[in-house]
Amino acid sequence: MNDEIKHFPENVQKLLADARIPIEQLKPIYYELTIGEHFPDDSIRLIEVNNTLIEELDKNKKLVIRGTHDDFATLCTSEQAFELKTAETSNTLLLASPLDSSLANKENGCVSLKVNTILHAKYELTPSVPKLKRIRQLLEEKLYRGHFDDDEDTFTRKITLNDLKNEVQASDQAIDVYLKKLNVITVDGHLRLLDFDFRTKLIEYIFSLISIHDWSNENIPIDKCASEMKEMCPKSVAKQFLEQIGTISTDGNSIALNANTISIHYALDLLRNLEKMKLSEFMTCWRECVPSEFPINLEQLIGFVIHSEDTIAYIDVDDLSEKADERIKTLFSRKNLWTLLELEPFLSNLTTSSAEFITLLATHTRSIMKDGQKYYVPKYS
């Protein structure tokens, strides 16, 4: 037996011989396992992660698990969300850590390890669609109406950004994008969703100020306009609203109204309380509501409405089922033929990637050609 192997205890040498394991293939190291003081440590869990998550952990030094007591646990990073699922391992795993180096006898090749716990399962991560609807549900409990707001309400919960990032099963990025989509403002450190009718009043008030002061739609002084909106809401709120409906100048002193934002708002104002409307009548009313210099066309409303040759109706994607089959059934009950451009905004939040979206379409729909245009219809009708 060569010198490198002589340091193995006799019982180990006998075990290797009985197992007919070629000794020359072994490294001159063996491990001595000691059961830890707190074995088994039930606070330890094993999670299988990819390189992206390792980089995220190296960068931010933490991974966050979000959700309420009734939700499934969701591991979230700044840009992604994953559902945590338990998977049993085929082998029993011992999780060990090195003992103090002074206790390791390196001269004879022995490495001493302390076994902290024994594991029979691990957590696997599955990409998860962000669960953002809860944000709207929380904020709609107390809509903001400026000075018409009920400041005496002490019963409705006040929501902060930290509250959302503790409870909502979504990445920081997804939460921020959704808050921007909802046009949420901050009032005294709390997040508030503007009442739709109050938004309309603010827009009309701004147009009246533009007329009084002979301002250009492309150059509205932010500070002066916000100050003169004090009858409607605090100046800080007015400034946030102006930034939502316009583009800030490079010097930060003025905004140019976003024609698309204004046009969409008035279109939804016409439709949101109606089951449907004649398309010709809607286009006439829409044109009358919006300043003549602001263009209007149905493409602006993709993702907000369903329209045919004769009618148009508002549809809120947040009101649709989170189950793919139910959502698709609802959409095709409202309209028989859909282009991909029309359908995509109502289905994209059910998937986490373009590949998943394509699979979703292939599972539930089929394409047909009509008058040179590709349309999608239910796969099984």
Side-chain angles (χ1 to χ4, degrees):
M1 186 177 294
N2 61 51
D3 293 337
E4 290 184 339
I5 303 303
K6 288 181 180 178
H7 64 266
F8 283 126
E10 290 184 7
N11 60 331
V12 175
Q13 295 181 32
K14 184 177 186 304
L15 183 63
L16 293 173
D18 291 342
R20 296 185 178 181
I21 296 176
I23 292 179
E24 62 273 7
Q25 294 182 10
L26 298 179
K27 294 183 178 180
I29 296 175
Y30 68 96
Y31 295 89
E32 181 180 69
L33 302 181
T34 304
I35 300 299
E37 296 178 4
H38 304 291
F39 178 90
D41 187 345
D42 293 331
S43 66
I44 298 175
R45 297 292 184 271
L46 194 63
I47 303 178
E48 184 176 354
V49 300
N50 56 29
N51 290 334
T52 302
L53 284 176
I54 292 175
E55 291 173 4
E56 176 81 17
L57 189 56
D58 287 339
K59 179 181 178 182
N60 297 318
K61 306 304 179 186
K62 65 177 181 179
L63 296 173
V64 181
I65 295 178
R66 291 174 177 160
T68 63
H69 294 299
D70 298 327
D71 298 325
F72 60 79
T74 302
L75 187 144
C76 300
T77 70
S78 58
E79 298 180 356
Q80 294 177 289
F82 301 88
E83 182 179 350
L84 281 168
K85 293 183 177 180
T86 304
E88 292 187 359
T89 58
S90 57
N91 298 311
T92 297
L93 303 176
L94 296 178
L95 193 62
S97 58
L99 284 171
D100 186 275
S101 58
S102 63
L103 300 177
N105 187 349
K106 296 181 180 179
E107 292 182 1
N108 67 0
C110 174
V111 177
S112 297
L113 298 176
K114 178 179 68 176
V115 180
N116 300 301
T117 193
I118 184 170
L119 298 170
H120 303 283
K122 63 180 179 180
Y123 284 115
E124 292 182 342
L125 301 178
T126 304
S128 173
V129 173
K131 307 297 183 183
L132 298 167
K133 189 181 293 188
R134 179 169 172 77
I135 295 177
R136 185 167 176 174
Q137 292 170 342
L138 288 170
L139 296 177
E140 282 184 338
E141 292 179 7
K142 180 63 177 175
L143 295 173
Y144 185 75
R145 298 180 176 87
H147 293 321
F148 308 100
D149 210 26
D150 182 10
D151 292 328
E152 302 301 319
D153 182 3
T154 58
F155 299 100
T156 304
R157 178 186 174 190
K158 294 183 178 179
I159 305 299
T160 66
L161 184 58
N162 282 337
D163 291 332
L164 297 183
K165 291 188 175 182
N166 283 331
E167 298 180 21
V168 177
Q169 299 160 287
S171 67
D172 292 350
Q173 183 183 71
I175 291 173
D176 292 339
V177 169
Y178 190 70
L179 290 175
K180 186 175 181 180
K181 172 190 171 184
L182 293 180
N183 293 309
V184 171
I185 59 170
T186 302
V187 182
D188 298 328
H190 299 100
L191 301 179
R192 301 296 300 274
L193 180 62
L194 291 178
D195 175 74
F196 190 93
D197 290 334
F198 183 64
R199 285 180 60 84
T200 303
K201 290 178 182 178
L202 289 178
I203 291 173
E204 291 175 348
Y205 197 85
I206 291 169
F207 277 127
S208 69
L209 291 175
I210 290 173
S211 177
I212 291 170
H213 295 288
D214 197 25
W215 291 333
S216 164
N217 291 337
E218 301 293 321
N219 188 25
I220 301 171
I222 295 176
D223 195 71
K224 183 172 178 58
C225 184
S227 296
E228 298 204 19
M229 292 171 68
K230 62 184 178 182
E231 295 181 9
M232 305 288 290
C233 61
K235 185 176 179 180
S236 61
V237 172
K239 282 188 172 182
Q240 291 179 71
F241 182 71
L242 287 168
E243 292 173 4
Q244 289 176 357
I245 64 169
T247 303
I248 304 175
S249 62
T250 52
D251 61 11
N253 295 325
S254 63
I255 67 157
L257 288 182
N258 187 311
N260 192 55
T261 299
I262 300 296
S263 296
I264 291 174
H265 176 86
Y266 278 111
L268 302 187
D269 191 34
L270 289 169
L271 294 170
R272 68 191 186 94
N273 293 320
L274 299 175
E275 182 178 346
K276 61 182 177 180
M277 191 173 183
K278 287 185 178 180
L279 184 57
S280 58
E281 180 184 349
F282 165 75
M283 294 301 294
T284 300
C285 294
W286 191 19
R287 181 69 280 172
E288 291 174 353
C289 292
V290 178
S292 58
E293 63 269 30
F294 289 2
I296 61 169
N297 61 75
L298 291 177
E299 288 187 359
Q300 292 172 285
L301 304 181
I302 290 175
F304 296 101
V305 303
I306 296 176
H307 69 85
S308 62
E309 294 181 359
D310 303 317
T311 62
I312 186 170
Y314 172 62
I315 183 169
D316 190 339
V317 67
D318 285 340
D319 291 336
L320 297 173
S321 172
E322 294 182 349
K323 296 180 179 179
D325 54 344
E326 293 181 8
R327 181 177 297 195
I328 289 174
K329 183 178 180 180
T330 298
L331 291 173
F332 281 102
S333 70
R334 302 278 298 272
K335 183 177 178 179
N336 296 326
L337 300 176
W338 291 76
T339 65
L340 181 59
L341 188 64
E342 293 170 334
L343 196 55
E344 191 271 341
F346 295 111
L347 297 180
S348 60
N349 67 348
L350 295 176
T351 61
T352 60
S353 66
S354 57
E356 274 191 36
F357 179 76
I358 293 171
T359 300
L360 179 68
L361 279 183
T363 302
H364 296 279
T365 69
R366 59 187 176 88
S367 62
I368 63 171
M369 296 297 295
K370 183 178 179 182
D371 300 328
Q373 171 72 51
K374 179 186 284 189
Y375 291 95
Y376 289 85
V377 297
K379 194 165 190 177
Y380 307 105
S381 56

